[in-house]
Amino acid sequence: MSLDIAADLLALLHDTATEPRADPQLEALTLAVAADLPVLLWGEPGIGKTAALTQLAEALELPLTTVIASVHEPSDFSGLPVVGDDPATQGVPMAPPDWAVHLAREGRGLLFLDELSTAPPAVQAALLRLVLERRVGALRLPPGVRIVAAANPRSSAADGWELSPPLANRFVHLQWAHDHEVVVRGLGGTWPRASLPRLDPERLAEAVAFARRAVCGLLAVRPALVHRLPQNEARRGGAWPSPRSWDMALRLVAFATAAGTSREVLSMLVRGTVGDGPGLELLAAMDRMDLPDPETLLADPAGAELPERGDLRQAVLDGVVEAVRKRPEKPRWDAAWTVLGRALESGPPDLVVVPASTLAALRRPDWDVPASIDRLAGAVSLSRQADLAAARVAAGRRG
Amino acid sequence: MTGTPARTLDAEKLFAARLQAARARPYLATALFALHVVESRRVPTMAVDRHWRCYVSPAFVAGIPVEELAGVWVHEVSHLLRDHHGRSDRVAAERGLAGPGERLRMNIAADLEINDDVYGDGLVRPGGAVEPGDLGLPEGELMEDYLRLFRLGPHTQDLAWLDCGSGADGLDRDWDLGPDGAYGLSEQERDAVRFRVAQGITARPGSVPKGWRRWAEEAFHPPQPWRELLGAAVRSAASGPGAGEDYTYGRPARRSAGLPGVVLPSLRRRPPRVAVVVDTSGSVSDAELGSALLEVAAIVRAVGGRRDLVSVVSCDAAARVVQPLCRAEGIALVGGGGTDLRQGFARALRTEPRPDVVVVLTDGQTPWPEARPACRTVVGLFPRERRPSRNEDDPGYVPDRPPDWARVVTIG
């Protein structure tokens, strides 16, 4: 067999095309790296973490340096002591390895620390200093260097390394999984090409203001979320909320807003920073920030635009009724009936029943019933049907 | 369905039923209202897709009383809240289950998981709703467990028409509007709705059935198998500094010869020494102990531990036997009666050489040592529903929780 022919065959195999495809994982990774936060990718071996890093390095136009942690010694990261001529006066310098010197000289680059979890504990300890303090021996990595680490989930890691809560709190944790469709299509010759987020220079100030409003708004009403250590064994080693991780979350919200990324991507990032529960609460708070303001609706009830989604619509209607309850005035009460009437015209009637009965209870004796209330007759008969059904259920149970 | 005249959807009835469902189950209201209704003549009854659309057959609505329809609403939204489509896909990939027959089984298993405690208390069970008893199966299991318990056959013949849509079993239907169709919820929106419902349930657990409480606790943190957790705890304790593989400057590395002037550390291996304290009091069953002990032995072996460095102390009121673990299955456990684990700890720590890790397997009905022992401690805890008093003189005696310095993994 001639190697020339083998080379031809290899060339054919390498000849693959790409197609554009949204990749939320890669988008999240790009944003976190752009925000200069240490990222930890959790994923089984062989699912394309390295390929993703290659794509990321290309997108950010940074040279990629991969260091396989498990084949190094701790001194490769903490520096090798080199004994000179006169250690007593000169000291013993801790010499950095060649890749660190290259990175420092270059001034910029993407450092990928692979297989963090299969390295012996002493190596991991040395690596964490590199990730958190950006120091390799006597050398300090320049700010243009971004660091990403990868680890296997502890169930598949042979030596079961896991992060202590203080260390876990310093990372953005991203779960890395393979997309079955992408793999099959890629092996068939077409790999995805993700379009990566770009920050919009026009929106920077607005993004920071939005992020501060979202995070501070939530933490002002939920003080318990500010700091909460992971309680049980199953949540060890993952993200948890603390002032530090909230600061990271705020930064990520600002970056996501400036880049105009989707809530899916932001959800991965925020939940990977402050944990699932607090992350979801932040996202829910941001959803509520998007809802129309009750006072605006009361000021112009005829032009009210209500959200399509039923649960959000009901939240808005409840908000409108609550606003009237806080400052009960006849024109506001009338306006609220108009808003409910619009809700009934444009969506399911059952959502209107509870707000309508609450609003009716707010009536003052000298307030006349507005003409628009006729439009709510449908909701009333609906409510009666539900009452009858409930009565039948109760009777059936007794009988 | 030929010959049935085309009906229009009785929207008022449909929404009256949703209202009744939301009144009977206030904690599900957010989820019920988040569903987007799509009228469809191709669904047999009512079905959901994974994007939280609810497909409704007008003929089905016409033929069912409002109160039963309310039950169907809650049933369908339960499939989505419990992520039955995602779990079906995962179980199909794990167990290699393929084909519409298997997906029908998943739909039935998902229905069983829902139906055993979703009705009653203001909600009627709709006609034809399948319950575990109908197939001779126990109540209170999860969909994944039910899937192992029955096959399709004559007794499931009546269920072949059952179809709760792709939201229940993950198999795409041709009536689905798909991810790009109108009014679908994105993944983040679905999580947000599920989270709000779970929050509502944990906020007032008293009025909520057990099945929903369990769901709310686990909605965003599916329980991990105890084997993995115990493994991670023991491995991390056994590979901490001082044990396992580590670097030392105590001896020059073999690489040093090639690099004059540079001081290189060498790799040193010291296999971890593990002492297992087993609670052999009457309250822990042999089967429980056996499986946990085998697990610990396997984990220790995987970390590089040698058999002769693992010792087992069986402990009831006194610590009795100390013996090296030669074959996990061959250990004679002596005991019965009450427990005092303080004796077991003391005995384990007196072993020579001193252990790096103490693993305790117990049901926790014991006094614990006052002070933290001088080595890492992992507790495998067998949960007990009711805690019968061990102390006959004091019926109100409640055993202490394992202390904070131990890592606790609940087994079973």
Side-chain angles (χ1 to χ4, degrees):
Chain A
M1 193 169 82
S2 140
L3 279 185
D4 293 347
I5 302 176
D8 289 347
L9 181 55
L10 284 173
L12 267 181
L13 283 167
H14 280 303
D15 187 17
T16 52
T18 59
E19 62 184 357
R21 184 188 169 100
D23 185 342
Q25 294 185 132
L26 193 55
E27 236 180 282
L29 174 62
T30 313
L31 270 185
V33 168
D36 198 16
L37 296 172
V39 181
L40 183 55
L41 302 180
W42 292 96
E44 304 288 338
I47 56 166
K49 295 191 288 275
T50 311
L53 261 291
T54 313
Q55 206 174 0
L56 175 70
E58 253 170 52
L60 297 173
E61 294 168 3
L62 290 175
L64 176 68
T65 307
T66 303
V67 176
I68 312 267
S70 53
V71 299
H72 283 265
E73 296 181 355
S75 47
D76 289 350
F77 302 109
S78 58
L80 290 159
V82 182
V83 182
D85 292 338
D86 191 359
T89 50
Q90 310 260 328
V92 178
M94 304 294 266
D98 61 340
W99 56 261
V101 176
H102 283 302
L103 264 177
R105 197 176 299 148
E106 196 88 8
R108 50 201 291 282
L110 183 63
L111 175 59
F112 179 38
L113 302 169
D114 203 358
E115 294 188 31
L116 208 58
S117 48
T118 42
V123 174
Q124 289 165 3
L127 268 174
L128 290 164
R129 183 158 171 266
L130 162 61
V131 172
L132 304 171
E133 293 172 32
R134 313 172 66 97
R135 294 191 77 98
V136 187
L139 192 78
R140 198 182 180 88
L141 293 177
V145 174
R146 301 292 159 93
I147 302 171
V148 178
N152 300 332
R154 63 179 181 179
S155 54
S156 66
D159 53 1
W161 176 72
E162 57 180 21
L163 281 88
S164 66
L167 291 174
N169 196 236
R170 291 173 160 93
F171 280 106
V172 178
H173 302 251
L174 288 180
Q175 305 295 328
W176 212 259
H178 71 271
D179 183 337
H180 175 251
E181 234 174 90
V182 167
V183 172
V184 173
R185 206 162 152 69
L187 292 174
T190 313
W191 288 100
R193 184 180 64 246
S195 60
L196 294 161
R198 298 242 169 255
L199 300 173
D200 179 355
E202 308 278 300
R203 300 184 61 186
L204 300 186
E206 172 205 342
V208 172
F210 175 79
R212 292 206 167 126
R213 202 151 50 89
V215 173
C216 301
L218 174 69
L219 295 185
V221 293
R222 292 295 316 270
L225 288 183
V226 174
H227 190 270
R228 205 163 63 190
L229 269 162
Q231 291 299 327
N232 65 29
E233 195 65 27
R235 293 180 204 188
R236 278 179 80 101
W240 55 278
S242 75
R244 184 201 347 254
S245 55
W246 278 114
D247 182 44
M248 288 161 63
L250 194 151
R251 207 193 284 196
L252 289 167
V253 173
F255 268 79
T257 311
T261 40
S262 68
R263 281 285 160 84
E264 259 66 48
V265 172
L266 184 58
S267 167
M268 291 168 73
L269 287 168
V270 168
R271 289 162 74 172
T273 308
V274 291
D276 276 335
L280 284 161
E281 285 208 39
L282 177 63
L283 292 159
M286 287 166 58
D287 282 343
R288 282 198 293 279
M289 285 166 67
D290 290 344
L291 293 181
D293 178 37
E295 293 300 333
T296 319
L297 294 177
L298 287 174
D300 177 21
E305 289 285 340
L306 298 167
E308 280 295 338
R309 238 175 78 192
D311 55 328
L312 297 182
R313 175 174 283 227
Q314 186 165 46
V316 171
L317 296 180
D318 285 343
V320 167
V321 174
E322 181 60 22
V324 175
R325 198 186 60 77
K326 273 192 188 142
R327 196 149 58 85
E329 288 160 18
K330 173 78 162 104
R332 290 163 65 81
W333 192 65
D334 287 346
W337 283 116
T338 314
V339 175
L340 293 188
R342 281 191 61 86
L344 200 58
E345 280 161 19
S346 60
D350 51 339
L351 302 174
V352 186
V353 172
V354 175
S357 56
T358 320
L359 190 61
L362 293 178
R363 178 169 171 262
R364 300 278 165 91
D366 55 330
W367 290 358
D368 289 332
V369 175
S372 63
I373 209 159
D374 291 347
R375 288 149 78 190
L376 291 157
V380 175
S381 90
L382 186 88
S383 176
R384 195 170 301 132
Q385 271 203 48
D387 287 341
L388 288 173
R392 283 197 297 273
V393 175
R397 202 177 49 175
R398 273 198 300 273
Chain B
M1 283 288 180
T2 46
T4 314
R7 297 170 189 273
T8 50
L9 178 65
D10 184 349
E12 188 174 312
K13 186 174 181 182
L14 183 68
F15 289 120
R18 182 161 77 169
L19 185 62
Q20 196 219 321
R23 281 176 179 170
R25 299 282 182 274
Y27 50 90
L28 298 182
T30 305
L32 284 165
F33 291 144
L35 282 172
H36 180 79
V37 172
V38 179
E39 182 178 343
S40 169
R41 273 154 230 286
R42 296 168 63 194
V43 291
T45 53
M46 231 160 113
V48 281
D49 72 8
R50 55 177 83 225
H51 307 283
W52 286 64
R53 298 188 199 91
C54 180
Y55 302 85
V56 185
S57 148
F60 174 68
V61 172
I64 183 172
V66 177
E67 55 271 29
E68 283 190 33
L69 197 54
V72 178
W73 270 109
V74 171
H75 176 97
E76 296 299 337
V77 87
S78 303
H79 279 307
L80 296 175
L81 283 171
R82 291 169 184 233
D83 188 28
H84 279 150
H85 51 90
R87 286 162 60 191
S88 292
D89 288 345
R90 280 194 289 281
V91 90
E94 269 165 33
R95 302 187 195 167
L97 309 174
E102 290 297 339
R103 293 289 177 166
L104 173 62
R105 268 194 344 113
M106 289 172 201
N107 196 155
I108 295 172
D111 279 12
L112 294 175
E113 179 188 310
I114 292 173
N115 287 351
D116 57 5
D117 68 352
V118 79
Y119 305 117
D121 194 21
L123 268 193
V124 202
R125 168 184 158 159
V130 54
E131 288 190 16
D134 302 343
L135 300 182
L137 300 177
E139 285 197 352
E141 303 287 324
L142 293 176
M143 170 197 152
E144 287 82 355
D145 301 321
Y146 281 126
L147 261 185
R148 296 185 198 277
L149 297 178
F150 72 95
R151 323 220 137 271
L152 294 181
H155 56 294
T156 59
Q157 205 78 70
D158 303 342
L159 306 174
W161 59 271
L162 193 133
D163 191 347
C164 293
S166 55
D169 56 20
L171 179 72
D172 287 338
R173 307 296 203 277
D174 51 3
W175 65 70
D176 281 1
L177 296 180
D180 305 322
Y183 303 121
L185 262 57
S186 70
E187 198 185 334
Q188 188 260 319
E189 291 171 317
R190 302 196 292 257
D191 279 350
V193 173
R194 294 173 62 223
F195 180 71
R196 282 202 61 187
V197 173
Q199 246 188 339
I201 291 175
T202 25
R204 40 164 189 219
S207 55
V208 180
K210 194 165 149 240
W212 279 116
R213 286 207 305 275
R214 180 170 73 178
W215 170 80
E217 278 160 23
E218 295 168 358
F220 290 93
H221 288 283
Q224 273 175 291
W226 63 266
R227 288 190 165 77
E228 279 177 17
L229 292 177
L230 185 66
V234 173
R235 279 193 306 245
S236 114
S239 60
E245 259 185 345
D246 211 344
Y247 287 88
T248 171
Y249 283 96
R251 209 165 11 123
R254 279 178 288 179
R255 264 167 71 191
S256 292
L259 293 162
V262 179
V263 184
L264 292 169
S266 63
L267 191 62
R268 180 199 65 157
R269 258 183 61 79
R270 212 203 60 179
R273 287 182 287 261
V274 179
V276 188
V277 179
V278 180
D279 177 351
T280 48
S281 62
S283 53
V284 183
S285 84
D286 287 358
E288 283 177 328
L289 280 181
S291 72
L293 199 52
L294 274 178
E295 202 59 34
V296 173
I299 296 160
V300 169
R301 212 167 301 143
V303 213
R306 295 204 315 260
R307 280 175 187 173
D308 55 318
L309 295 178
V310 180
S311 55
V312 177
V313 180
S314 54
C315 172
D316 46 23
R320 296 254 180 125
V321 186
V322 181
Q323 63 178 84
L325 177 60
C326 293
R327 282 204 324 275
E329 58 269 38
I331 296 169
L333 297 171
V334 185
T339 325
D340 187 350
L341 275 182
R342 289 174 298 194
Q343 304 285 336
F345 268 100
R347 193 78 184 79
L349 292 171
R350 273 205 308 275
T351 349
E352 281 297 329
R354 224 168 43 86
D356 299 300
V357 187
V358 173
V359 181
V360 185
L361 303 173
T362 177
D363 62 358
Q365 309 196 3
T366 169
W368 294 92
E370 292 285 319
R372 178 185 202 128
C375 68
R376 287 175 280 268
T377 310
V378 176
V379 175
L381 192 68
F382 301 101
R384 290 288 175 267
E385 285 274 320
R386 276 179 307 118
R387 291 168 163 247
S389 173
R390 297 253 120 242
N391 187 340
E392 284 167 12
D393 302 330
D394 175 12
Y397 167 75
V398 178
D400 296 332
R401 286 275 311 151
D404 290 340
W405 39 258
R407 290 187 58 172
V408 183
V409 176
T410 306
I411 295 180

